Amino acid sequence: MPEGHTIHRLAAALNELYGGQNLHTSSPQGRFADGASRLDGQVLLGGQAHGKHLFLPFGPRPDMPLDDASVTWLRIHLGLYGSWTFDGDREFTAPHAIGAPRRRVGERGEHALKGGGGSALAGLKGGSVGVDPGEDTERTGADSRGCPAPDEWEPPEPRGAVRLRLLGRHGVADLTGPAACELLDAEGVAAVRRRLGPDPLRPDADVEVFVAKARSRRKSIGELLMDQAVISGAGNIYRAETLFRVGVSPFRAGNRISEERLRAIWEDLRPLMEYGVATGFITTVDLDDVPDPLPPDDPEAGRWYVYHRAGRPCLRCGTPVAEREMAARRLFWCPSCQAR
């Protein structure tokens, strides 16, 4: 399942690509036909994320306040299999896809469009190395990479079971396989957010809410960091890496961890997730801890301390990284660095 930084990147991408535009919306699959019909012709007013939930407000005019009663909110949760794919002309700058499924463990999942302008987001470059994206051919109107001019591009036929298609002036975004895709009013959005814990990537997040929730529970902190009602957005990789970096055992109960250490978990997690938003992938190893040279049989040692490194030496103490199942997910930790 995509972690929270991916959903924040997605919100930013959709806002950049479509914000302020009247969009044509449809449901090629048919399962969201009524919702797509309600949104058709409306203006996308922005994009927000809270944890792993994406919220897109639509209204009849681009200058509408988000609390206006005529604003309709689209809520999407990608779940395990949901993803967005993009296509467009040379003025449409987007990755090929954002979301799941990944083909390989830890794969970024965001590759530049072959026929578009690259990416709407920092951390990705479009086009081929050494090619000027703006270089045009006089005869066809396409650039040297074959990217079509705006008046020559045609939306591709939907591929797979497309729940929702957003079509703007320069490109299309197709949603497939989401766990949730529904329309809400402002109160419905507020009700969803009340069920969620604070999101470290949101400016309105309160670390003290996380501390209080964790301190009130007897479950292990390894379970609590995956509980979206306690803290929103963290997934399996962030759980393992943050607990290692702070030196907390994943088996220690939340009510047996000091407020200071819980705040340290939050303060470590936030910049890691911010880096994920900026770049599109997760890396957590401090430069001083990266092996030099990088072991050829341990490629993850340059990205992660413990995640997916079971049996390999801890980058700080050399103890073999341990693995076991927790809450139906694979958990990784260093028994020495995280003894308490």
Side-chain angles (χ1 to χ4, degrees), residues 90 135-144 146-149 151-152:
R90 67 168 177 249
E135 182 182 350
D136 296 341
T137 60
E138 295 181 2
R139 288 196 308 161
T140 65
D143 68 17
S144 56
C147 304
D151 58 352
E152 295 180 344

Side-chain angles (χ1 to χ4, degrees), residues 199-216:
D199 178 344
L201 290 172
R202 289 185 61 94
D204 58 2
D206 187 347
V207 61
E208 298 307 322
V209 174
F210 161 66
V211 171
K213 285 176 177 284
R215 290 272 294 169
S216 68

Side-chain angles (χ1 to χ4, degrees), residues 231-254:
I231 184 170
S232 286
N236 206 21
I237 302 177
Y238 284 125
R239 166 180 73 171
E241 294 299 295
T242 292
L243 289 177
F244 173 84
R245 288 166 57 90
V246 179
V248 175
S249 167
F251 307 104
R252 193 169 185 84

Side-chain angles (χ1 to χ4, degrees), residues 198-203 205-211 225 231 234 238 241-243 245-246 248 258-275 286:
D199 178 344
L201 290 172
R202 289 185 61 94
D206 187 347
V207 61
E208 298 307 322
V209 174
F210 161 66
V211 171
L225 288 184
I231 184 170
Y238 284 125
E241 294 299 295
T242 292
L243 289 177
R245 288 166 57 90
V246 179
V248 175
S258 69
E259 294 183 1
E260 181 181 7
R261 296 187 87 194
L262 288 170
R263 292 190 191 99
I265 290 172
W266 176 280
E267 293 303 327
D268 185 76
L269 183 61
R270 183 171 55 185
L272 293 182
M273 296 181 72
E274 288 174 344
Y275 182 83
D286 293 336

